[in-house]
Amino acid sequence: SLGEDSLTGNDVALVFRMEKLAGKLGHDLLVSEAVTTVLGDRLPVLDVGIHELQGFEKDRLRFFAAA
């Protein structure tokens, strides 16, 4: 390696899967329910439903798009 950081792990995989789902749903960005809980009303969101993501099948997660 030339000093570059590599990105690996479950969190990174989740972000890439969320990005793919966002494209399928026609949104630029999705956030998790946990993020909406932390941000509260500071980020208006649209509930886009509960979805399974590849590699995370045991976790049916609710996602939101920026409104």
Side-chain angles (χ1 to χ4, degrees), residues 9-21 53 56:
N10 285 338
D11 292 338
V12 174
L14 178 60
V15 169
F16 283 115
R17 300 293 191 277
M18 287 174 64
E19 181 181 34
K20 188 173 181 179
L21 177 61
L53 300 178
F56 298 89

Side-chain angles (χ1 to χ4, degrees), residues 1-42:
S1 171
L2 298 172
E4 298 174 2
D5 292 327
S6 67
L7 301 174
T8 60
N10 285 338
D11 292 338
V12 174
L14 178 60
V15 169
F16 283 115
R17 300 293 191 277
M18 287 174 64
E19 181 181 34
K20 188 173 181 179
L21 177 61
K24 286 181 182 178
L25 297 175
H27 296 284
D28 294 328
L29 171 73
L30 293 182
V31 296
S32 67
E33 192 166 14
V35 170
T36 63
T37 299
V38 171
L39 294 178
D41 293 336
R42 292 176 281 182

